[in-house]
Amino acid sequence: MPKVKFISHQKEVDVPAGKTLLYAAAKAEIPIDSVCGGKGTCGKCKAMVIFGDRGTPTAAEREHLTPEEIEHGFVLACKCHVLEDMVVELPHKKDSSNRKTAFVHIKQPEVVEASIEKYLIKLKRPTAKDLRPDCDRLLNSLPLDGLRVSREVLATLPRVLREKSFNITAVLANGKLIAVEPGDTTQRKFGLAVDLGTTTVVGSIVNLYSGEIMATSATANLQQAYGADVVSRITYAVQQEQGIEQLQNRILRTVNLLIDDLLAQTKIDKFEVYELIVVGNTAMSHFFLGVDPAYLAAPPFIPAFTGPFSLRAAELGLGMNPQGRVLVLPSIAGYVGSDMVGVMLATNMDQRKDISLAIDIGTNGEIVLAGRGRIFVCSTAAGPAFEGAQIKYGMRAAEGAIESVNIDSDADVQLKVINGSPPRGICGSGLIKAIAEFLKAGIIDSSGRFNNAQTAPKDLSSRLKERFIKRDDGACFVLAWGRESANGDNIVITQKDIRMLQLSKAAIYAGINILQKEMGISESEINQVFLSGAFGSFIDIESALVTGLLPKIPAERIVSVGNAAFDGALLALISKTSRTRTFFLPGVVEHLELSTRVDFQEEFVNALNF
Ligand code: FES
């Protein structure tokens, strides 16, 4: 079998001849941007072959690589087949875990009511007159009736009882005996909350007595090698033999890496971690449990389950107490996952008296409108523009991404770049800001069309006018000249980029309008807007209003709530009452499937202009 060595990551793997470099990277657990899932259409999976036969460039490679790049050995990893030993360099060694992640934690409830309880018990020793089996001896001493002892607890029970002279700590989860520990361990019990993001997985370890967050960590989702978005991953899972298993293994490995890091940071033993609460989009919940996601990908987008779903950690091989409980919070529908349930919980939308709107913007925009005793949700296919995909110089919000643009019409362009390094591209929040600035300066008109040096407003400075250029891909505006950028390219916004953003923002706005119609309210009646998720955390609210992404309400009524989905998972971990609230939400929330709405197209078209 040929070997592929990734020198930038110092990893080497054997792969069957004929497999792609993308496959090899996945096997080596190196995340590569592969937005299109290996179809050769996104051009994001560039790699440089230093040694080995890279074959003749394919049509996709000729489209996405410049002649100079091809000459220097660049390939698309999804199109380059491994026929012999290869040495490969990936352009950016730092992986996606380097990107910015928001943590905005909820206000901790005053009373922590974890579902894990510990009881210190001194059992009577067996005597000639008391010949009860160990199991009966234990059960008779516990404060709850009707408990049963699992085989796993039974397996070690005789030794555990005698190790500390029949002094034991019984661990109960939701009234079920899950562990018996020798001696007094009642001072320590911990739990985990995890948000299974498509790109980044975030987790915290929490003291279940005090509710204190002991450590928080984030890591790149190792599933990215199988596609950047959930649809690509579902396609992979369905088409490949053992695809579902591979995707499950990847997400479980990711969670285990996260748990290892949290345990190392806090010096907590894995046996002291008794519970894990999981949120994620519906597809991620399916992958996590190894459930076939096939029917999520096409209308009418039917999930196999909406949950909640509970199982033992041992069943998933997670690095916590094997008898500990894993609870996947309920989802609402195929594209409204438990992450949105987490958002509703953290923002209290289900209990507020006013009208509130929550939006989680990503490839899929998930929207909740609550008020007047009802809760409506929908999801809308916003497309990947907000995540930087299908944008000429789009990239995720990682080092080198332009995250903010300021245009002073009588001066020039000022850029803010993540980590202050030379720009490599632009992320979604930077794109929204750039377009808002273009509108204000008259660089584009309200239909999204570029002006040019002749048609632009007269007061636009000559330095700005020089930035209107024409290339093979049409009219562009230069944000960063090649001399300033990381790779020597002019970093531009193209007319097509603006059209992509218009499609994305129109999908979100149309979704919001349909929910408003259903509730019978106008946008001015919305009292509070919550923007959740990484994108919502970094978006410039004024720019989102200028571009028509959000309803026209005063900016002070719009707040970014960070990773509220994760905050919801934390809340469900430390509060049984909050957790129970999530169990009722799927029965209360009214889900609107926009693909079946005849008015969606009209709303969408009306929302295209700025
Ligand atoms: S072009 Fe290779 S993954 Fe998209």
Side-chain angles (χ1 to χ4, degrees):
M1 255 196 253
K3 286 187 193 320
V4 179
K5 184 171 187 177
F6 292 95
I7 51 170
S8 42
H9 291 72
Q10 295 175 340
K11 286 191 173 177
E12 187 173 293
V13 280
D14 294 329
V15 293
K19 290 285 187 185
T20 63
L21 274 184
L22 192 62
Y23 173 94
K27 194 168 177 204
E29 299 193 345
I30 300 171
I32 291 189
D33 256 356
S34 50
V35 174
C36 68
K39 295 193 196 86
T41 55
C42 71
K44 301 286 180 195
C45 63
K46 285 183 195 176
M48 185 163 73
V49 177
I50 292 171
F51 172 83
D53 180 5
R54 57 193 157 105
T56 312
T58 61
E61 287 173 314
R62 283 196 301 274
E63 187 186 336
H64 292 289
L65 303 171
T66 63
E68 294 74 36
E69 285 177 321
I70 292 176
E71 195 184 319
H72 285 100
F74 276 92
V75 295
L76 292 181
C78 67
K79 293 291 154 201
C80 177
H81 296 270
V82 180
L83 302 171
E84 58 179 21
D85 287 357
M86 291 177 107
V87 178
V88 176
E89 171 138 51
L90 298 174
H92 304 291
K93 187 180 166 189
K94 286 178 181 167
D95 71 24
S96 48
S97 60
N98 209 29
R99 71 186 49 115
K100 58 187 185 177
T101 304
F103 302 119
V104 180
H105 289 307
I106 43 168
K107 185 173 171 293
Q108 200 170 301
E110 304 210 334
V111 182
V112 175
E113 22 151 25
S115 71
I116 302 294
E117 293 166 298
K118 283 191 157 189
Y119 294 94
L120 178 62
I121 296 167
K122 181 155 179 52
L123 298 176
K124 289 203 171 79
R125 286 166 173 277
T127 62
K129 288 190 179 159
D130 180 1
L131 298 174
R132 286 174 300 164
D134 288 342
C135 178
D136 296 13
R137 190 174 304 280
L138 171 67
L139 291 178
N140 293 343
S141 313
L142 286 168
L144 293 176
D145 292 332
L147 286 173
R148 286 199 312 209
V149 179
S150 67
R151 192 208 66 81
E152 290 77 16
V153 170
L154 210 48
T156 54
L157 187 62
R159 275 178 198 278
V160 170
L161 294 188
R162 286 158 184 84
E163 198 176 319
K164 296 276 182 185
S165 309
F166 287 83
N167 283 321
I168 55 109
T169 300
V171 187
L172 274 65
N174 272 333
K176 284 192 192 125
L177 181 69
I178 61 164
V180 178
E181 296 169 349
D184 181 0
T185 65
T186 53
Q187 298 307 304
R188 291 172 70 84
K189 59 176 182 180
F190 301 93
L192 295 158
V194 168
D195 173 25
L196 304 177
T198 310
T199 307
T200 306
V201 176
V202 183
S204 281
I205 190 161
V206 178
N207 181 327
L208 292 181
Y209 284 110
S210 64
E212 183 191 352
I213 295 168
M214 312 296 292
T216 296
S217 184
T219 187
N221 186 334
L222 292 174
Q223 290 181 329
Q224 285 180 81
Y226 300 117
D229 58 82
V230 291
V231 175
S232 306
R233 292 182 206 171
I234 293 171
T235 307
Y236 182 91
V238 172
Q239 289 178 350
Q240 304 295 318
E241 207 180 317
Q242 298 183 322
I244 298 170
E245 206 182 323
Q246 284 174 309
L247 279 152
Q248 186 191 22
N249 287 342
R250 282 301 170 107
I251 189 60
L252 294 177
R253 266 188 64 78
T254 308
V255 173
N256 271 337
L257 287 173
L258 190 76
I259 296 175
D260 287 350
D261 182 42
L262 293 169
L263 295 178
Q265 282 187 52
T266 54
K267 311 259 181 306
I268 291 169
D269 189 280
K270 72 174 191 173
F271 287 97
E272 299 175 310
V273 181
Y274 301 98
E275 191 163 47
L276 165 62
I277 302 291
V278 177
V279 293
N281 61 51
T282 309
M284 289 307 302
S285 297
H286 280 55
F287 289 136
F288 183 73
L289 294 172
V291 174
D292 186 349
Y295 300 98
L296 281 176
F301 312 111
I302 301 299
F305 71 102
T306 48
F309 199 94
S310 166
L311 69 172
R312 284 185 309 121
E315 293 175 63
L316 296 173
L318 292 172
M320 53 187 276
N321 189 310
Q323 305 313 318
R325 309 308 298 175
V326 178
L327 173 67
V328 180
L329 289 187
S331 311
I332 304 292
Y335 281 90
V336 184
S338 54
D339 46 0
M340 269 330 258
V341 168
V343 171
M344 286 184 242
L345 193 61
T347 54
N348 228 11
M349 285 182 86
D350 57 326
Q351 299 197 329
R352 290 174 67 103
K353 297 277 178 275
D354 59 357
I355 296 175
S356 58
L357 176 74
I359 313 170
D360 191 302
I361 302 169
T363 306
N364 201 47
E366 294 166 4
I367 308 167
V368 185
L369 182 67
R372 299 192 172 166
R374 300 178 79 178
I375 305 176
F376 293 100
V377 301
C378 70
S379 69
T380 176
F386 295 130
E387 294 180 348
Q390 291 178 22
I391 298 299
K392 185 73 190 175
Y393 286 91
M395 62 180 285
R396 292 217 172 97
E399 182 174 328
I402 297 170
E403 61 176 342
S404 185
V405 176
N406 275 304
I407 296 179
D408 189 344
S409 59
D410 56 6
D412 205 357
V413 172
Q414 276 131 34
L415 304 178
K416 189 164 164 228
V417 181
I418 295 177
N419 286 357
S421 49
R424 288 200 285 128
I426 186 161
C427 64
S429 53
L431 185 64
I432 295 268
K433 184 75 166 64
I435 305 291
E437 292 290 289
F438 287 180
L439 280 163
K440 286 194 274 180
I443 292 167
I444 57 173
D445 63 24
S446 63
S447 74
R449 216 180 132 86
F450 266 126
N451 278 313
N452 55 43
Q454 286 71 46
T455 59
K458 298 216 173 357
D459 57 351
L460 210 62
S461 74
S462 55
R463 276 199 284 175
L464 286 171
K465 284 186 179 159
E466 279 167 20
R467 290 176 181 267
F468 288 105
I469 61 166
K470 271 222 181 306
R471 309 192 322 176
D472 291 350
D473 47 358
C476 308
F477 186 84
V478 179
L479 288 181
W481 296 105
R483 58 181 177 271
E484 305 151 349
S485 75
N487 55 9
D489 279 0
N490 287 343
I491 295 178
V492 302
I493 300 287
T494 66
Q495 186 68 69
K496 184 165 161 252
D497 294 341
I498 295 172
R499 297 295 178 224
M500 291 300 298
L501 185 93
Q502 284 177 285
L503 296 176
S504 296
K505 69 109 185 173
I508 300 276
Y509 196 80
I512 297 170
N513 265 352
I514 293 212
L515 295 191
Q516 284 172 205
K517 264 207 272 188
E518 207 62 28
M519 192 177 275
I521 60 157
S522 63
E523 58 189 15
S524 64
E525 291 176 84
I526 299 172
N527 192 47
Q528 183 79 71
V529 176
F530 300 109
L531 299 178
S532 68
F535 184 73
S537 302
F538 294 100
I539 195 171
D540 177 69
I541 289 170
E542 197 206 316
S543 301
L545 288 166
V546 169
T547 52
L549 171 65
L550 298 177
K552 288 173 190 45
I553 63 170
E556 59 272 17
R557 290 197 220 155
I558 304 172
V559 287
S560 293
V561 288
N563 192 349
F566 178 53
D567 289 346
L570 282 166
L571 201 48
L573 177 67
I574 58 175
S575 161
K576 275 195 284 189
T577 308
S578 299
R579 179 183 306 191
T580 308
R581 260 167 64 201
T582 71
F583 298 165
F584 291 106
L585 281 173
V588 172
V589 170
E590 298 171 63
H591 172 239
L592 303 184
E593 177 50 61
L594 296 184
S595 60
T596 63
R597 298 276 306 211
V598 283
D599 50 350
F600 179 73
Q601 197 55 25
E602 190 188 331
E603 293 286 353
F604 176 73
V605 171
N606 288 341
L608 280 170
N609 275 2
F610 291 115

